[in-house]
């Protein structure tokens, strides 16, 4: 008979409970030794053996019988201390903690390496989609040029409902909350921070570097209106919250740099990412040799995420049996490309008073900031007039200045959404 892998689990929420369920299907392969929880008395699903629960999380990490530690509590401080303790006790760790891996991944991976054990984190980005392993292993020889990902299911669900069911942002958010996609406090999802942390991990994994998640340029989706969505549709596009990770050269020094940004984007309906609906995630990769590639799947939820955790557990066990651990590549420093210098085509909506001369003043501001308009449409009249522009490729800094100057024009009531357009 086989020796089952002896697991200690930190946290028994949605993913922890699903993991216990999955491992229970293979009793010859796995056994759960202990599960650390905050509240022992909380009600649990029937497959959770409450005799395994403990409130003492360190006891799970140092338990002689625990071979592999699975961290599913999330957050930074406690999780980091426990992971460090496990690694220093020569125990491989599997984690789904994106916040922690984005902020302290390099430091923790180095501790893992120094102790000769694995720290695996496939489940920290896009749940069931095996993107971390793909970037670190399968594509390690590839010259990746750009990654564009829909990394957040909640915002993708909201934008899908706005597009297909014509719900406004608040209604779509409420539906996402009712279905359990969005948290009661949805800030991290709708403001783009969740996708930003995932983008930082993907960048570090793809380019063997370290990116502080605070250096990712982030804009969320809370200001997207149905009018923006309608305008996109009319022009054969959809609006998606995307993370873009791109290798660029500094124009002066020609030094290699990386641009990392999360923001809404108008995407042509013919692009594969446009067909990613509801709470699904997808990652579109472009590389010198591979051309284009896309991975699509469930980016959140108990079972999909637990499946990724289980894959890492098996990987860690395999490595343990060979007395080895996954390769650790020393990260190189790659500077972040200045967002202000990026160029993009833009959509911009401006609410104005419909009076003679207003369009000329607005157009003058675009022109004086070196922005060339590719099309313009007026919707509504009188006090409810809206001018909608598409621009040719323009620099971010110039667009920012244009928006500032437009906002100061007396005849401009409001500058609405400014959305980048993928070309
Ligand atoms: N809240 C995330 C999402 C899942 O909606 O995709 C966890 O990262």
């Amino acid at each position: 008979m086989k020796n089952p892998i002896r697991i200690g689990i930190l946290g028994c929420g949605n993913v922890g409970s699903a993991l216990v369920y999955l491992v229970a299907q293979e009793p010859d392969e796995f056994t759960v030794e202990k599960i650390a929880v905050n509240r022992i008395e909380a009600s649990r699903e029937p497959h959770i053996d409450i005799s395994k629960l403990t409130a003492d999380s360190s006891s799970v990490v140092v338990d002689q019988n625990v071979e592999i530690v699975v961290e599913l509590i999330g957050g930074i401080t406690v999780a980091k201390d426990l992971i460090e303790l496990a690694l220093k006790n020569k125990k491989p760790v599997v984690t789904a903690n994106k916040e922690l891996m984005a902020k302290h991944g390099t430091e923790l991976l180095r501790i893992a390496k120094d102790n000769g054990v694995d720290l695996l984190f496939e489940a920290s980005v896009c749940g069931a989609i095996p993107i971390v392993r793909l970037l670190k292993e399968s594509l390690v020889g590839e010259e990746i040029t750009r990654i564009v990902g829909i990394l957040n299911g909640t915002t993708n669900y909201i934008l899908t409902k706005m597009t297909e069911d014509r719900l406004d942002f608040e209604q779509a958010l409420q539906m996402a909350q009712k279905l359990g996609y969005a948290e009661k406090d949805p800030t991290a999802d709708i403001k783009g921070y969740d996708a930003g942390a995932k983008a930082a991990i993907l960048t570090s994994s793809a380019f063997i570097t370290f990116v502080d998640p605070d250096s990712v340029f982030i804009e969320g989706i809370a200001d997207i209106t149905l009018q923006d969505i309608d305008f996109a549709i009319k022009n054969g596009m959809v609006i998606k919250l995307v993370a873009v990770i791109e290798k660029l050269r500094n124009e002066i020094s020609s030094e290699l740099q990386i641009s990392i940004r999360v923001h809404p984007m108008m995407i042509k309906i013919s692009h594969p990412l446009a067909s990613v609906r509801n709470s699904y995630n997808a990652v579109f990769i472009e590389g010198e040799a591979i051309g284009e590639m896309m991975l699509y799947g469930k980016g959140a939820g108990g079972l999909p995420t637990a499946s990724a955790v289980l894959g890492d557990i098996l990987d860690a066990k395999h490595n343990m049996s060979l007395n080895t651990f996954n390769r650790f590549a020393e990260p190189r420093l790659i500077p972040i490309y200045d967002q202000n210098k990026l160029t993009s085509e833009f959509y911009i909506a401006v609410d104005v008073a419909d009076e003679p001369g207003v369009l000329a003043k607005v157009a003058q501001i675009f022109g004086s900031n070196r922005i060339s308009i590719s099309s313009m449409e007026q919707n509504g009249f009188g006090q409810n007039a809206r001018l909608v522009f598409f621009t040719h490729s323009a620099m971010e800094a110039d667009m920012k200045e244009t928006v500032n100057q437009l906002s100061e024009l007396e005849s401009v009531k409001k500058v609405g959404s400014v959305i980048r357009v993928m070309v």
Side-chain angles (χ1 to χ4, degrees):
M1 185 172 144
K2 267 177 122 172
N3 270 341
I5 306 172
R6 301 186 307 274
I7 308 166
I9 305 176
L10 307 170
C12 196
N14 204 10
V15 179
S17 179
L19 178 66
V20 175
Y21 173 81
L22 283 185
V23 301
Q25 315 305 308
E26 306 275 355
D28 290 347
E29 293 279 349
F30 309 98
T31 164
V32 175
E33 292 290 325
K34 269 186 169 178
I35 309 171
V37 292
N38 262 342
R39 290 190 310 122
I40 304 238
E41 64 287 359
S43 75
R44 309 270 163 200
E45 291 180 279
H47 63 267
I48 305 289
D49 175 354
I50 52 169
S51 72
K52 303 265 168 82
L53 302 182
T54 171
D56 178 1
S57 39
S58 322
S59 76
V60 175
V61 172
V62 296
D63 190 317
Q64 301 276 345
N65 288 326
V66 169
E67 286 179 283
I68 296 177
V69 173
V70 179
E71 185 275 307
L72 300 171
I73 48 183
I76 300 253
T77 329
V78 178
K80 181 165 185 275
D81 291 347
L82 290 168
I83 290 178
E84 277 191 37
L85 183 64
L87 297 172
K88 287 176 180 166
N89 274 276
K90 315 275 182 221
K91 295 192 187 191
V93 174
V94 174
T95 179
N97 192 331
K98 60 179 171 271
E99 214 185 332
L100 179 63
M101 287 310 290
K103 194 81 195 153
H104 299 288
T106 301
E107 177 190 341
L108 291 170
L109 286 164
R110 193 169 280 120
I111 296 174
K113 177 200 148 211
D114 291 346
N115 286 279
V117 290
D118 273 319
L119 168 58
L120 303 176
F121 51 98
E122 183 60 73
S124 66
V125 184
C126 293
I129 302 179
I131 183 65
V132 172
R133 192 170 274 103
L134 180 96
L135 293 173
K136 282 174 97 84
E137 295 179 20
S138 318
L139 294 181
V140 72
E142 176 62 24
E143 195 60 38
I144 293 171
T145 48
R146 187 160 79 147
I147 299 173
V148 186
I150 294 175
L151 308 182
N152 183 270
T154 303
T155 44
N156 203 46
Y157 176 83
I158 291 172
L159 291 171
T160 305
K161 286 291 139 192
M162 291 176 77
T163 305
E164 296 181 5
D165 299 346
R166 302 207 83 279
L167 301 186
D168 67 24
F169 174 78
E170 283 303 330
Q171 290 168 323
L173 171 61
Q174 276 167 23
M175 276 197 75
Q177 284 170 321
K178 228 191 221 143
L179 290 168
Y181 297 142
E183 306 279 332
K184 229 196 214 146
D185 175 2
T187 314
D189 290 324
I190 64 174
K191 290 215 180 247
Y193 304 141
D194 174 86
K198 293 168 182 167
I201 296 174
L202 290 187
T203 309
S204 302
S205 304
F207 300 113
I208 315 175
T209 180
F210 171 71
V211 173
D212 188 321
D214 295 336
S215 63
V216 180
F217 173 87
I218 291 174
E219 278 176 8
I221 64 159
D223 295 329
I224 306 268
T225 65
L226 274 177
Q227 286 159 311
D228 302 327
I229 302 247
D230 287 345
F231 209 77
I233 294 171
K234 209 165 112 184
N235 285 278
M237 294 187 280
V238 287
I239 301 177
K240 296 286 184 192
L241 181 73
V242 293
V244 184
I245 302 161
E246 198 170 12
K247 250 194 207 158
L248 295 168
R249 295 249 162 224
N250 179 289
E251 339 35 59
I252 298 163
S253 64
S254 85
E255 170 190 46
L256 175 70
Q257 301 191 327
I258 296 185
S259 163
I260 313 169
R261 54 216 199 245
V262 170
H263 51 63
M265 198 164 208
M266 288 194 184
I267 300 179
K268 286 202 179 71
I269 50 167
S270 55
H271 191 282
L273 283 172
S275 63
V276 179
R277 299 169 55 246
N278 294 322
S279 65
Y280 278 86
N281 284 191
V283 188
F284 188 82
I285 305 168
E286 295 167 32
E288 298 284 357
I290 57 167
E292 296 174 346
M293 165 189 294
M294 187 162 100
L295 281 85
Y296 166 90
K298 291 203 163 122
L303 283 170
T305 310
S307 170
V309 169
L310 204 52
D312 277 352
I313 292 172
L314 285 161
D315 207 9
K317 176 66 184 181
H318 175 77
N319 282 343
M320 277 171 93
S321 67
L322 298 174
N323 207 12
T324 184
F325 55 96
N326 277 5
R327 136 181 34 157
F328 170 85
E330 195 55 49
R332 9 168 221 171
L333 181 72
I334 310 182
I336 303 287
Y337 192 87
D338 182 356
Q339 179 72 19
N340 285 319
K341 297 205 171 112
L342 270 181
T343 54
S344 177
E345 294 185 7
F346 288 90
Y347 153 96
I348 169 168
V350 188
D351 291 340
V352 296
D354 188 6
E355 290 159 359
V358 171
L359 180 57
K361 284 186 205 151
V362 168
Q364 204 275 332
I365 289 179
F366 278 98
S368 66
N369 286 294
R370 296 163 292 280
I371 296 182
S372 171
I373 294 162
S374 73
S375 71
M376 193 285 288
E377 187 177 310
Q378 175 168 337
N379 294 316
F381 301 99
Q383 288 311 301
N384 294 317
R386 165 170 274 220
L387 302 176
V388 186
F389 299 89
F390 278 112
T391 72
H392 288 297
S393 188
M395 214 151 72
E396 292 265 342
D398 292 338
M399 182 48 88
K400 228 195 267 173
E401 187 51 31
T402 301
V403 170
N404 286 342
Q405 291 180 12
L406 287 174
S407 311
E408 279 163 19
L409 264 191
E410 211 178 302
S411 34
V412 167
K413 292 191 197 153
K414 186 179 153 205
V415 178
S417 305
V418 178
I419 302 174
R420 294 157 189 87
V421 179
M422 187 193 266
V423 283

